[in-house]
Amino acid sequence: MFKNASASRITIVFVLGVIVGLITKVKIIDDFLWVTLFSLIFLVGVSMGLDMSRILAMSREKILWSLKLVIATVAGSLSGGLITYLLLGKPALRYSLAISAGMGWYSFTGTYLTSMDPYLGFLGYLSNVLREIYTYVTYPILGKKLRHSPISLGGATTMDTTLPVITSVSGSEVGVLAFIHGALLTLIIPVIIPALVSGLLP
Amino acid sequence: MLATGVLAGLLISKVLSKKENTSLMKNLGRTTLALTYILVFIIGLRTSQVLPDVLMKGLHVVAAVLAFSAIPTILSFAISYIMLRS
């Protein structure tokens, strides 16, 4: 996810990074990485704050539906991480849960995990980019048959990159739910992933 | 950091007019996009350091990426389908 960053462009930037890294062997200092990540999180917060009046103006019923979707998305993502860990045996449980807890926010998950181990960052980044792509592919099929539940497919991306697909398939009413769902997940993810990695959660 | 951002956004939205708000949102969108590209580029740079290791693992990496992306996505959908049906 973020703000019209199409999957193809993001892939090109990623591949470019790999090529430049292989040629120059340049090493990015962690401080720069953290400053960039925190700046991104701060700006995401500001844009959510600017949009907050719009969210608060929505009916309580819509917010409740979105909350149900958020609970389902978080539960599904974390149990997915647990099952993957049980199937593959590595990386360690807390990292497996953290990768799946990215819920589509690849720039945050990839960067946060890459500061610990570049391999984990690679897994966190690619798995979450794929989640966005799966949503692009499957939502038009599922969204026509089922009204609300397919929103969970997109995770945090439903507030920006996959929102146009959701709105065009299911209409603006479902689009509003998708936006709140994505916004709430965007608030939760920067709390869940560090908590999981630091072992605060079981 | 996120909470500080949300508070700052709330305060700004109270001070600015609707037109200024929209213009700020556009600029924020552009900046977050630029930061996203920078971060993805850095992830690429870092991945290059472990690329030989990733290639050595071969099938295991492919399986891990597919499992970490598909299983959470399917389960999220399945749980929300069950929850919203009841």
Side-chain angles (χ1 to χ4, degrees):
Chain A
M1 114 176 186
F2 239 122
K3 308 290 176 198
N4 302 321
S6 72
S8 56
R9 274 190 211 162
I10 284 292
T11 310
I12 290 167
V13 173
F14 175 73
V15 172
L16 205 67
V18 174
I19 293 168
V20 171
L22 284 173
I23 294 168
T24 62
K25 308 275 179 207
V26 69
K27 284 192 175 157
I28 297 284
I29 48 168
D30 275 347
D31 291 349
F32 177 71
L33 191 76
W34 287 112
V35 167
T36 317
L37 183 63
F38 283 137
S39 308
L40 176 75
I41 295 170
F42 179 74
L43 290 182
V44 168
V46 173
S47 52
M48 287 179 71
L50 289 171
D51 251 349
M52 200 58 89
S53 55
R54 196 154 68 106
I55 296 173
L56 294 174
M58 287 164 190
S59 72
R60 194 177 286 178
E61 192 193 3
K62 276 184 185 162
I63 294 173
L64 271 175
W65 272 92
S66 300
L67 274 176
K68 277 185 185 177
L69 283 167
V70 166
I71 292 166
T73 308
V74 173
S77 299
L78 292 180
S79 47
L82 177 67
I83 290 172
T84 309
Y85 168 74
L86 293 174
L87 285 172
L88 301 174
K90 54 186 175 178
L93 178 60
R94 57 185 171 150
Y95 296 122
S96 298
L97 292 174
I99 292 168
S100 59
M103 293 176 261
W105 193 355
Y106 51 79
S107 52
F108 178 79
T109 316
T111 313
Y112 192 86
L113 293 174
T114 219
S115 64
M116 278 145 215
D117 177 357
Y119 176 64
L120 289 174
F122 167 77
L123 280 182
Y125 164 75
L126 209 56
S127 309
N128 285 290
V129 167
L130 278 176
R131 183 163 184 162
E132 185 177 295
I133 296 170
Y134 294 154
T135 311
Y136 281 126
V137 176
T138 54
Y139 193 88
I141 304 159
L142 293 168
K144 277 181 187 164
K145 295 182 178 174
L146 306 160
R147 201 161 159 72
H148 299 119
S149 48
I151 292 173
S152 286
L153 289 167
T157 69
T158 59
M159 78 173 272
D160 45 59
T161 49
T162 57
L163 184 60
V165 185
I166 294 169
T167 312
S168 65
V169 173
S170 306
S172 57
E173 201 189 319
V174 176
V176 170
L177 290 180
F179 177 80
I180 306 174
H181 168 259
L184 290 173
L185 285 176
T186 305
L187 282 172
I188 293 170
I189 292 167
V191 180
I192 292 184
I193 294 182
L196 286 167
V197 169
S198 63
L200 286 177
L201 294 177
Chain B
M1 191 56 80
L2 190 70
T4 316
V6 173
L7 282 176
L10 271 170
L11 282 174
I12 294 168
S13 71
K14 300 259 185 258
V15 175
L16 297 181
S17 69
K18 206 174 177 181
K19 201 177 171 186
E20 288 170 324
N21 230 327
T22 316
S23 145
L24 181 64
M25 280 290 279
K26 265 189 192 166
N27 288 328
L28 274 177
R30 284 193 202 116
T31 317
T32 48
L33 181 63
L35 287 176
T36 301
Y37 283 142
I38 292 170
L39 286 173
V40 170
F41 185 78
I42 295 172
I43 296 168
L45 282 178
R46 287 274 170 112
T47 301
S48 71
Q49 292 168 16
V50 287
L51 201 61
D53 190 33
V54 167
L55 293 174
M56 282 266 285
K57 286 178 182 167
L59 203 62
H60 187 271
V61 174
V62 177
V65 168
L66 288 177
F68 275 118
S69 56
I71 297 173
T73 310
I74 294 166
L75 282 178
S76 294
F77 167 65
I79 293 175
S80 84
Y81 179 70
I82 295 163
M83 269 181 75
L84 297 182
R85 230 181 145 194
S86 55

